[in-house]
Amino acid sequence: MMNILSTCCGPIEPPNKVSRIEPKTFLANERTFLNWLAMSVTLGSIASALVAFGKSEPNGSSVQIMASVLVITAIFFCIYAMNTFFWRRRRIRRKEDGNFDDPYGPLALSSVLLLSLGTIFASGVVKLASNGYVQATYF
């Protein structure tokens, strides 16, 4: 039967695979986006708290620098979250196969966060050392 149909009508191909996208896929993408934004808001809140507490100091420029570093880090988090959200949404809507993960983005963001927190810690230690709170015997 198969040979008769293929000789008279041409080669028979199986129908295209119809894939249905589950709503949980879209919701998982949105949930991940909101988690990244929550981290960004947390960093921005810490930066604003630093600015609020730094106003009481006579030399608040170091606190302003620390707050600026955290705000810039929070902006990087927002940009990454938005870019990843739209990239995944585009792939989901086009029904593309493959991985939806980004192996390098979270690593880069955690490196930026580690660098910014390390900078804040180092400037705090330098400030304490200049005020005489930390003795040179510990270093």
Side-chain angles (χ1 to χ4, degrees), residues 57 59-60 62-63 66 122-133:
E57 294 183 13
N59 186 10
S62 64
V63 175
M66 289 187 271
S123 66
V125 168
V126 167
K127 185 176 179 181
L128 286 176
S130 67
N131 290 338
Y133 293 118

Side-chain angles (χ1 to χ4, degrees), residues 3-20:
N3 291 337
I4 296 172
L5 287 176
S6 62
T7 55
C8 74
C9 303
I12 299 175
E13 297 178 8
N16 290 338
K17 180 182 171 186
V18 178
S19 62
R20 181 175 179 268

Side-chain angles (χ1 to χ4, degrees), residues 52-73:
F53 290 125
K55 287 185 179 181
S56 63
E57 294 183 13
N59 186 10
S61 64
S62 64
V63 175
Q64 294 292 330
I65 291 171
M66 289 187 271
S68 300
V69 167
L70 277 181
V71 166
I72 291 171
T73 305

Side-chain angles (χ1 to χ4, degrees), residues 16-55:
N16 290 338
K17 180 182 171 186
V18 178
S19 62
R20 181 175 179 268
I21 299 174
E22 297 290 329
K24 66 181 179 180
T25 306
F26 287 106
L27 295 174
N29 189 26
E30 290 175 5
R31 186 173 51 245
T32 305
F33 175 64
L34 291 175
N35 285 334
W36 280 109
L37 286 183
M39 182 63 173
S40 176
V41 167
T42 302
L43 289 174
S45 300
I46 293 170
S48 65
L50 281 174
V51 169
F53 290 125
K55 287 185 179 181

Side-chain angles (χ1 to χ4, degrees), residues 1 13 18 25 30 52 54 76-77 82 92 105 117 130:
M1 181 75 180
E13 297 178 8
V18 178
T25 306
E30 290 175 5
F76 280 143
F77 271 65
M82 186 178 61
I92 291 169
L117 293 177
S130 67

